[in-house]
Amino acid sequence: EEDEEAPEWAEQAQAVLGAVMQMKDARSFFNEPVDADALGIPEYHKVVKRPMDLGTVASALEAGAFGSLQALSNDVRLVFENALLFNPSGHAVHKAAQQLLDKYNK
């Protein structure tokens, strides 16, 4: 049913996600899909099997696509885990992903 109210956790999740997306590092790296061509990293999609970004998560949340808070959290973590997987540990994106993941996990 389309006029079903969003589950209680969805409103809180939207607030948390919105706060994360406002953070400088998120705005720099994680709010939009990785454009492998523009960034000159053609190997990205070989390494990262399920690309995810916070903007996509936010759209899915708004559309009611998540059946549970756990499903939503899995996708948020995937954003950062992908960045950790692809970028070497000294890289700015790797560091930013680690920091945001730590914050999110709290």
Side-chain angles (χ1 to χ4, degrees), residues 4 42 56 69 73 104:
E4 231 178 84
T56 298
L69 182 56
S73 285
Y104 184 77

Side-chain angles (χ1 to χ4, degrees), residues 55-101:
T56 298
V57 174
S59 298
L61 178 58
E62 234 168 86
F66 293 108
S68 68
L69 182 56
Q70 189 59 54
L72 168 80
S73 285
N74 290 346
D75 272 5
V76 171
R77 287 193 185 96
L78 182 62
V79 173
F80 303 128
E81 287 162 1
N82 284 344
L84 294 173
L85 176 70
F86 184 78
N87 299 281
S89 60
H91 195 284
V93 175
H94 185 103
K95 288 182 195 161
Q98 190 63 66
Q99 287 175 342
L100 287 170
L101 183 61

Side-chain angles (χ1 to χ4, degrees), residues 8-94:
E8 278 180 31
W9 56 262
E11 213 169 292
Q12 198 178 356
Q14 233 162 353
V16 171
L17 187 57
V20 172
M21 290 179 75
Q22 291 303 312
M23 293 178 186
K24 184 173 169 281
D25 284 339
R27 290 199 312 265
S28 300
F29 307 124
F30 306 117
N31 286 358
E32 290 171 5
V34 169
D35 186 338
D37 294 337
L39 294 169
I41 47 172
E43 68 281 10
Y44 183 80
H45 293 286
K46 289 189 181 86
V47 176
V48 175
K49 299 299 181 206
R50 195 172 155 242
M52 188 54 60
D53 65 279
L54 296 176
T56 298
V57 174
S59 298
L61 178 58
E62 234 168 86
F66 293 108
S68 68
L69 182 56
Q70 189 59 54
L72 168 80
S73 285
N74 290 346
D75 272 5
V76 171
R77 287 193 185 96
L78 182 62
V79 173
F80 303 128
E81 287 162 1
N82 284 344
L84 294 173
L85 176 70
F86 184 78
N87 299 281
S89 60
H91 195 284
V93 175
H94 185 103

